[in-house]
Amino acid sequence: MPLIADCSITARPDRGIIEVYDSDAYIGDDEALTESRSQVVAGNGYHLYLHSLQPDIPVQINIRIWDAPQPPPADAEGATTVTLEAETGLLVVNQLTYGPAGDMTLPRSGVYGGYATWTGRQDTAAYHEAMIRRAVQEQWGPDQIGASWEQCSSTEQYTLDLWFVRESELDDEDD
């Protein structure tokens, strides 16, 4: 079961959220966004929300496309099944305020199924909280705070392991 394509993008979890969506499905979904806060990753089939526990330290987003279903990695802190339809075949990784962090062209457009997994989430959040406390106590300036984010020893990482499931259904509006 070979890997067909992969991509790695660093993004800032502005307000604790990173979005992954088809380039034509950029309109958000409040219900899925709310669900991500308790489920870590949630979506509506076109739009995924990845929920970090901190808003400042960049996270790593890995998207891997496989030729067949894969089991979730054993070393993940958490996992959930996901479905993502990409009618254009172009996935966007978006930071809420800062805009797109990057994109990935899929081998083909259509519906993909798979797993979202994460690691380093708790450790990065604990580091962030400790640095915020220290910054207040020691009255750090913005540059010192920013430098502390770069010194985080853990990497918060979200991985989407996906495989092609089927073609997208034709839209009735096109008739």
mmCIF file of all heavy atoms in Angstrom, residues 13 20 30 51 53 72-73 91 103 128 132 146 158:
data_model
loop_
_atom_site.group_PDB
_atom_site.id
_atom_site.type_symbol
_atom_site.label_atom_id
_atom_site.label_comp_id
_atom_site.label_asym_id
_atom_site.label_seq_id
_atom_site.Cartn_x
_atom_site.Cartn_y
_atom_site.Cartn_z
ATOM 1 N N PRO A 13 -2.048 28.285 14.582
ATOM 2 C CA PRO A 13 -3.439 27.976 14.943
ATOM 3 C C PRO A 13 -4.167 29.189 15.529
ATOM 4 O O PRO A 13 -4.508 29.230 16.708
ATOM 5 C CB PRO A 13 -3.287 26.857 15.970
ATOM 6 C CG PRO A 13 -1.969 27.130 16.622
ATOM 7 C CD PRO A 13 -1.101 27.726 15.542
ATOM 8 N N VAL A 20 -8.807 22.968 6.945
ATOM 9 C CA VAL A 20 -8.393 22.275 5.724
ATOM 10 C C VAL A 20 -9.663 22.095 4.897
ATOM 11 O O VAL A 20 -10.649 21.549 5.388
ATOM 12 C CB VAL A 20 -7.744 20.907 6.019
ATOM 13 C CG1 VAL A 20 -7.361 20.212 4.718
ATOM 14 C CG2 VAL A 20 -6.524 21.072 6.929
ATOM 15 N N ASP A 30 -20.228 26.697 11.324
ATOM 16 C CA ASP A 30 -20.171 26.952 12.766
ATOM 17 C C ASP A 30 -20.357 25.695 13.603
ATOM 18 O O ASP A 30 -19.726 25.542 14.640
ATOM 19 C CB ASP A 30 -21.213 28.001 13.168
ATOM 20 C CG ASP A 30 -20.857 29.394 12.662
ATOM 21 O OD1 ASP A 30 -19.674 29.632 12.350
ATOM 22 O OD2 ASP A 30 -21.770 30.239 12.584
ATOM 23 N N HIS A 51 -8.412 21.586 15.986
ATOM 24 C CA HIS A 51 -8.427 22.459 17.162
ATOM 25 C C HIS A 51 -7.197 22.266 18.035
ATOM 26 O O HIS A 51 -7.017 21.223 18.652
ATOM 27 C CB HIS A 51 -9.688 22.197 17.984
ATOM 28 C CG HIS A 51 -9.769 23.043 19.208
ATOM 29 N ND1 HIS A 51 -9.822 22.508 20.459
ATOM 30 C CD2 HIS A 51 -9.766 24.384 19.369
ATOM 31 C CE1 HIS A 51 -9.870 23.484 21.345
ATOM 32 N NE2 HIS A 51 -9.835 24.627 20.705
ATOM 33 N N LEU A 53 -4.854 23.584 21.334
ATOM 34 C CA LEU A 53 -5.123 24.128 22.662
ATOM 35 C C LEU A 53 -4.394 25.450 22.903
ATOM 36 O O LEU A 53 -4.452 25.989 24.004
ATOM 37 C CB LEU A 53 -4.731 23.102 23.731
ATOM 38 C CG LEU A 53 -5.532 21.810 23.709
ATOM 39 C CD1 LEU A 53 -4.936 20.788 24.672
ATOM 40 C CD2 LEU A 53 -6.985 22.079 24.029
ATOM 41 N N PRO A 72 -4.802 3.798 11.548
ATOM 42 C CA PRO A 72 -4.198 4.992 12.146
ATOM 43 C C PRO A 72 -2.851 4.635 12.775
ATOM 44 O O PRO A 72 -2.667 3.509 13.236
ATOM 45 C CB PRO A 72 -5.210 5.438 13.191
ATOM 46 C CG PRO A 72 -6.162 4.327 13.367
ATOM 47 C CD PRO A 72 -6.048 3.419 12.191
ATOM 48 N N PRO A 73 -1.900 5.550 12.789
ATOM 49 C CA PRO A 73 -0.596 5.264 13.388
ATOM 50 C C PRO A 73 -0.732 4.926 14.873
ATOM 51 O O PRO A 73 -1.518 5.543 15.587
ATOM 52 C CB PRO A 73 0.190 6.559 13.200
ATOM 53 C CG PRO A 73 -0.609 7.436 12.327
ATOM 54 C CD PRO A 73 -1.984 6.885 12.247
ATOM 55 N N LEU A 91 -6.496 21.137 -2.029
ATOM 56 C CA LEU A 91 -6.775 21.347 -0.609
ATOM 57 C C LEU A 91 -6.010 22.569 -0.124
ATOM 58 O O LEU A 91 -4.843 22.758 -0.456
ATOM 59 C CB LEU A 91 -6.339 20.141 0.222
ATOM 60 C CG LEU A 91 -7.135 18.865 0.053
ATOM 61 C CD1 LEU A 91 -6.604 17.793 1.011
ATOM 62 C CD2 LEU A 91 -8.620 19.099 0.300
ATOM 63 N N ASP A 103 -1.060 24.890 0.289
ATOM 64 C CA ASP A 103 -2.073 24.053 -0.344
ATOM 65 C C ASP A 103 -1.423 22.789 -0.885
ATOM 66 O O ASP A 103 -0.203 22.675 -0.934
ATOM 67 C CB ASP A 103 -2.820 24.812 -1.446
ATOM 68 C CG ASP A 103 -1.898 25.359 -2.523
ATOM 69 O OD1 ASP A 103 -1.061 24.596 -3.056
ATOM 70 O OD2 ASP A 103 -2.006 26.560 -2.831
ATOM 71 N N HIS A 128 3.125 26.591 26.120
ATOM 72 C CA HIS A 128 2.539 27.899 25.823
ATOM 73 C C HIS A 128 2.050 28.567 27.111
ATOM 74 O O HIS A 128 2.344 29.740 27.373
ATOM 75 C CB HIS A 128 1.388 27.737 24.827
ATOM 76 C CG HIS A 128 0.749 29.025 24.439
ATOM 77 N ND1 HIS A 128 -0.351 29.526 25.102
ATOM 78 C CD2 HIS A 128 1.047 29.921 23.454
ATOM 79 C CE1 HIS A 128 -0.704 30.669 24.542
ATOM 80 N NE2 HIS A 128 0.125 30.933 23.538
ATOM 81 N N ILE A 132 3.462 32.053 28.832
ATOM 82 C CA ILE A 132 2.576 33.199 29.070
ATOM 83 C C ILE A 132 2.708 33.655 30.525
ATOM 84 O O ILE A 132 2.838 34.850 30.807
ATOM 85 C CB ILE A 132 1.104 32.855 28.722
ATOM 86 C CG1 ILE A 132 0.933 32.667 27.212
ATOM 87 C CG2 ILE A 132 0.143 33.907 29.271
ATOM 88 C CD1 ILE A 132 1.106 33.932 26.392
ATOM 89 N N GLY A 146 7.774 36.158 21.313
ATOM 90 C CA GLY A 146 7.895 35.474 20.020
ATOM 91 C C GLY A 146 9.073 34.518 19.989
ATOM 92 O O GLY A 146 8.979 33.408 19.457
ATOM 93 N N TYR A 158 -0.577 17.545 13.281
ATOM 94 C CA TYR A 158 -1.832 16.938 12.846
ATOM 95 C C TYR A 158 -1.554 16.265 11.506
ATOM 96 O O TYR A 158 -0.964 16.874 10.621
ATOM 97 C CB TYR A 158 -2.925 18.002 12.687
ATOM 98 C CG TYR A 158 -3.233 18.690 13.992
ATOM 99 C CD1 TYR A 158 -2.473 19.771 14.424
ATOM 100 C CD2 TYR A 158 -4.251 18.227 14.807
ATOM 101 C CE1 TYR A 158 -2.718 20.379 15.635
ATOM 102 C CE2 TYR A 158 -4.509 18.840 16.028
ATOM 103 C CZ TYR A 158 -3.739 19.910 16.442
ATOM 104 O OH TYR A 158 -3.984 20.508 17.655
#
